Amino acid sequence: MADLQDIQVIDPGVDESIKKLTPERIERTINRVLTEESAARLQIYLDTCVHCGLCAEACQSYISRDGDPDYAPVAKVKDTLWEMVKRKGKVDGEFLHNAARIAFIDCGACRRCSAYCPFGIDISYLIMTVRRILNLLGVVPQYLQDTTNSHAVTMNQMWVQQDDWIDTLMWQEEDAQAELAGTRIPLDKEGAEIMYSIIGPEPKILAQLIANMAIIFKVAGADWTMPSTDGWDNSNMAMYSGDFETMGRVERLHWERAMQLKVKRVVMGECGHAYRGAVYDGPRWLGWTKPPIPMVHAVEYYYELLKSGRIKIARKIEEPVTVQDPCNIVRGRGLHHKLRYVINEICEDFHDMEPRYEHNYCCQAGGGLINCGPPWKLSRMKSNRIKADQIRETGAHTVITPCHNCHSGIEDIIGHYKLGCHVSFISELLVKTIEMPNAGEEA
Amino acid sequence: MYEFVRGPLVWIAFIGFFGGLLYRFITMARLARKDKVVYATFDAKYGLRSLLHWVIPFAGVNMRMRPIYTLLSYAFHICVLVTPLFLMGHAVLWQESWGIRWWSLPEGIADIMTLVVVFACIFFIIRRLVRPEVRNVSYPSDFLLALLVMAPFVTGFVAHQQWLPYKPMIIIHGLSGALWLLLIPWTRLVHMMWFPFTRAYMGSEFGSVRHSKDW
Ligand code: SF4
Ligand code: SF4
Ligand code: SF4
């Protein structure tokens, strides 16, 4: 039985939109997505699932809610897609209200269950198909829709305007220079080796992360640049709200910007879903097998710098730390060993979570969940008690989270379950620990 | 009737079975072209790597988490595929109808394998009833399918032991077996054909796109 409090949550983006729908529109939209927009994968997954429930134990929400059957991955598909197929699209408002809760809040699209289902059924893809239907019906949690609107209008996630963007970069450049003389944030430098791309929340609320990275680039002696205009944000909430048209525009612009700057590769900041959008979902929607320029996640880049000795650690962090493996760079890119290498270089006392690597539990914030905003926070917390247990067990004071969603999601969990630790990006630890050249040597 | 079951019905069942599978295969292969990413993603190395980990018992985390289920499931799937193919009683039929002669299972072993299938089916049905996460997603058709899979094995066994009149039993056995074969392409039993493809596809995505493991 799904949680009563969750069922009763009212979200205007969902409930007000449902009131405007007609049965014909619902039916037409569902059938269009099921027959025209999707093909073999949808068909074969619906055909093959033997209703065995072996995927249940994979999902953090199922485990955290004491094995409530409604939170098993397959149940989430049953209560949404199976019913839509069975009823040939003739579903009502109440059904859609529940489907929206299930698709947008109960599943973080983390794909852990695909490694537990014997057939490798992609539940996350099926849930995304439900989100696509809901998106076309205009039934999307309000906060999430707002970020999507922002993408559509400004090409970034947080309504950052052009003048704000430049202003923030200049301000961060000054801040960085106060730490390390001579640090620059080079804009639009054509032919640079690296384009550094970040996500919307950085200029908006976490600007110091930009300065951190500028310092790291400076110490490493990197040849890098950032775009002065749209295309700098590679986060993509449209990908999670089911607005694939906007998702495609965002990704295309991001890659076009990189091509214009003629860079050799794109290094992206510590974010998981942005990586997924730029490397996986975006190119697929655009019909490319892979991005036009290689993309390197910050974790890979730090690994490279530390391994080659281009940056060195002067003094390690002593307090106990652990790490949240972000699904999108671990299950989504296999960076877990490199991540551990980086952490062990920076920190004395690292305690791993169990299960870890590809089998780590999602933070229940990714996949657009945290972007659904305050109405759904309590539900997210209930769905990830297991993460709180995992963190508590490590005894760590700091949870390293090289992903923006994990960062905010884990922070929420720490607060809700009173774990008394805090979260940190790797760049924050790096600027505290790397060997800085003497200010005198700098021109 | 008895003659019909031993002769034409076998033909009908096999033609229906292979024809159905072929039809499903071709339509799915076409549909996969519409799904732009499918063929582009398939990767022989990573697909096989994943498949191997899901064919070898206990190679995956989930299989190790539930050892009893894993053992039963392997035993069931081996027996359900091997027994009908290599049963002595069937070997005679192969030879009569198509003149093919092949190795057949010693009788005692065939009996045990039949019982494994029956007990595993009973186990699956009970599991469906008692495990909340499975009951929640069980439709009546899931129970019917389990019974359908069981039927030819139960009836064949009873006929062979001659606990009930032989001929009527064999007729029921033949009919249920034929129904089973005919329904495979059109029900969830089709997972026997799709398994290698869905698994290999997920393995390819995990391996070549995401550089990680899916087991
Ligand atoms: S949250 Fe992850 S494990 Fe749970 S159903 Fe969604 S994709 Fe599967
Ligand atoms: S998705 Fe896979 S594991 Fe889950 S019920 Fe279906 S077949 Fe079983
Ligand atoms: S936020 Fe982090 S843990 Fe959660 S889905 Fe994204 S990458 Fe995974």
Side-chain angles (χ1 to χ4, degrees), chain A residues 47 51 116-117 280 331, chain B residues 24 41 62 128 199 205 212:
Chain A
D47 263 19
H51 308 180
Y116 285 72
C117 166
Y280 182 80
R331 230 179 336 277
Chain B
R24 301 265 359 230
T41 307
N62 202 11
R128 258 191 207 293
R199 188 77 258 170
E205 268 203 8
S212 59

Side-chain angles (χ1 to χ4, degrees), chain A residues 161-163 165-167 169 186-189 195 225-232 257 261:
Chain A
Q161 301 300 318
Q162 177 63 31
D163 52 344
W165 169 241
I166 304 280
D167 199 46
L169 292 182
L187 295 185
D188 295 334
K189 182 178 169 197
M195 175 174 113
T225 187
M226 287 181 92
S228 66
T229 177
D230 296 349
W232 54 266
R257 196 61 77 224
L261 291 175

Side-chain angles (χ1 to χ4, degrees), chain A residues 109 111 151 157 195-200 202 232-237 239-240 247 250-251 254-255 265-284 288-302 304 326-336 338 366-367 402-406, chain B residues 205-212:
Chain A
R111 291 195 158 115
H151 276 304
Q157 194 195 127
M195 175 174 113
Y196 181 54
S197 71
I198 59 170
I199 73 167
E202 294 202 10
W232 54 266
D233 183 358
N234 71 347
S235 74
N236 206 327
M237 282 305 141
M239 160 172 83
Y240 287 139
M247 184 246 313
V250 171
E251 297 304 340
H254 174 253
W255 287 116
R265 55 187 184 152
V266 175
V267 170
M268 61 152 298
E270 294 176 49
C271 181
H273 85 272
Y275 190 77
R276 171 181 181 155
V279 173
Y280 182 80
D281 291 67
R284 290 182 155 225
W288 311 338
T289 46
K290 59 178 200 292
I293 300 174
M295 174 173 265
V296 181
H297 188 270
V299 166
E300 269 171 295
Y301 187 62
Y302 301 148
E304 202 182 295
C327 326
N328 284 319
I329 64 164
V330 168
R331 230 179 336 277
R333 198 55 176 187
L335 294 185
H336 40 279
K338 290 183 176 169
C403 163
H404 274 272
N405 287 330
C406 300
Chain B
E205 268 203 8
F206 265 75
S208 60
V209 187
R210 306 197 203 132
H211 303 190
S212 59

Side-chain angles (χ1 to χ4, degrees), chain A residues 211-223:
Chain A
N212 289 350
M213 204 60 186
I215 293 170
I216 295 166
F217 279 129
K218 170 72 182 167
V219 175
D223 174 21

